[in-house]
Amino acid sequence: MASILRQIVAGPRQKHPEAGLDLCYVTDNIIATSGPSSTFPQRAYRNPTEALVKFLDYKHNNEWAIWEFRAEGTGYPDSEVYGRIRHYPWPDHHPPPFALIPNIMASMRDWLKGPDTKPGRVVVVHCKAGKGRSGTTAVSYLISEEGWTVEDALFRFTTRRMRSGFGAGVSIPSQLRWIRYVDRWAKHQKLYVERKVEIVEIHVWGLREGVKVAIEGYVDEGRTIKNFHTFDRHERIIVDGQDPDPTSAISATTSPSSSSLPSSDARSPPSVPQQTSSGGLENGGNAVIFRPAQSIILPSNDISVDLERRNKATYGWTMVTSVAHVWFNAFFEGHGPENHGDAAADGVFEIAWDAMDGIKGSARKGTRALDRLGVVWRAVDSQNDGKPALPQIITEPKEGEPVPEMKAADWKSAQHSNLVAITKDLGLRTESPVSGVSKASSLRSSGSSPQHSEEDQLVGVKVHGPSGEQHVSHELAGADLSIVTASEPDLGMPKVRSPAPMTQADVSKIGDLELGGVPSVVANMQKSRAHDESDSKAEEGLKTSKEHVLGQVLKEDQR
């Protein structure tokens, strides 16, 4: 029963009706897996920790180690994996603090390519679902340490981790932006300079009514996202009169100037027509400048703008109709890598609504909150006491040098993270009696079970052996572990080919897929089974099939 439940939660991923370990070999020495668990109820639908360890021992002896990225906690103590684990945690559905990247890449490189490396050694990366954070890290390693192109690395991870038709393995726009940052970092001496950054203004085109705009950033070594400022009505300037000159707005597509920022009037954004989904103008679509009353200074280059659109309801409730956010890094937006670490002192990051991150890493954001926004930022060159704010130069540790590791989150926190975590979603929320800012999860989120949350995370993933074979089987009771023999090995660098382009529709499929519990997941498994069978079974046979049971096609004569 437990293995069946694990297969349902993981979605349509393999041909065998019984669930195997939820893992895939991205390459012959990089394994991506969903987060294992040692506690109930998670172990009923996740990889049990002892089963994962048993598989790794059987296949790789002592030549394996885990890299985990769960700020919500691993779900198992380090001792259950022999202490063979590296911790670099950051929150789910977000890109990593970039300062972690050099250390993560160096530690993986040293394990796989160090002087004591033995044949068969593997890195095991995991987050919660083994897709976003794990995929960002695995792809970054292939780019920075193995010389893969961005397109080939993303294509490899998607084809090994995701079933056809379920979108990209790494699909969150901000995580994809970070992967592009990694590519630029790797091509320019792997030099990164951490700075404090001030948010000067936020320019918004087509702002709708009831939109909350907040500035967030990482603290606590990246384990926590902190709200540094939420703009109120007194900090909002609506651009009245004639439309400002569009040419006066700073464009994010040009190189930021290191000179002083232009005046406030020069930074006024041009207004654009505000279109609703039906094509008409929507009330409240204004060109607006958000100017903080006090300085907003973030401790690093990693900056997030968080948006939430709310409509006032009665009896202390508010209706949330839009949720979105975006991350960017001021060092890379200031062209630091291309200038030997000397990034521009100021600039503007600009993004359209459709390109922002949605709910829980999906493309779903609800109703339109704005058309486009621009973030005017500048590096902080002095501290509060007047002393210079010295930047921190971060390079990738060389082979043989010690590599810093981050503090792990409490592993027991993962047992309750699905029940108590405050999750942003659409729907009714209660209001804070102090600030009026919505705090609790939506009714839809708080009323859902942990298992339903796992379904949203894992739909569409599949398993792969080191040579691309699709099924890794195991028996929890202790039967022999095996991997299906590969029919077409492909272990090294990617073949010279043009990967299939990933369209926006592909990226949207993961987040837009709505699961209605077990029946809908089984239905998706049936569709995937029928798709996989089409290559080897006659089309007439598929047309006569009447029932699907956990991916098994039952024909008329078998019923």
Side-chain angles (χ1 to χ4, degrees), residues 371-386:
D371 293 323
R372 191 168 79 255
L373 67 81
V375 183
V376 183
W377 58 268
R378 65 183 168 208
V380 176
D381 55 8
S382 64
Q383 304 181 38
N384 294 334
D385 56 7

Side-chain angles (χ1 to χ4, degrees), residues 165-200:
F166 282 87
V170 182
S171 60
I172 298 174
S174 289
Q175 291 179 342
L176 291 170
R177 184 176 300 109
W178 249 244
I179 289 172
R180 296 287 179 182
Y181 289 162
V182 169
D183 183 49
R184 293 167 57 193
W185 170 76
K187 290 177 178 177
H188 295 89
Q189 296 81 48
K190 296 183 178 178
L191 176 64
Y192 177 67
V193 180
E194 191 72 280
R195 308 175 296 177
K196 292 184 178 180
V197 178
E198 179 183 1
I199 303 302
V200 181

Side-chain angles (χ1 to χ4, degrees), residues 105-154:
M105 298 298 102
S107 59
M108 293 174 64
R109 177 207 64 204
D110 289 351
W111 176 254
L112 293 177
K113 299 181 178 181
D116 60 342
T117 300
K118 298 179 181 179
R121 177 168 286 191
V122 295
V123 160
V124 183
V125 295
H126 85 72
C127 48
K128 185 176 183 179
K131 296 197 298 185
R133 288 173 287 184
S134 297
T136 299
T137 304
V139 169
S140 295
Y141 181 84
L142 294 177
I143 293 169
S144 65
E145 307 301 326
E146 300 293 345
W148 290 40
T149 65
V150 171
E151 292 74 18
D152 282 343
L154 287 169

Side-chain angles (χ1 to χ4, degrees), residues 307-371:
L307 304 173
E308 184 178 276
R309 187 180 184 186
R310 297 170 291 160
N311 294 326
K312 183 73 174 180
T314 58
Y315 304 107
W317 294 90
T318 183
M319 176 65 73
V320 179
T321 59
S322 301
V323 173
H325 70 272
V326 61
W327 284 91
F328 70 95
N329 185 285
F331 175 76
F332 289 92
E333 297 303 323
H335 302 280
E338 293 78 9
N339 291 289
H340 308 288
D342 185 18
D346 54 64
V348 175
F349 172 80
E350 190 172 331
I351 191 168
W353 168 258
D354 292 335
M356 298 183 72
D357 302 357
I359 300 167
K360 299 180 182 178
S362 72
R364 186 169 62 95
K365 296 185 283 287
T367 60
R368 181 177 291 269
L370 50 80
D371 293 323

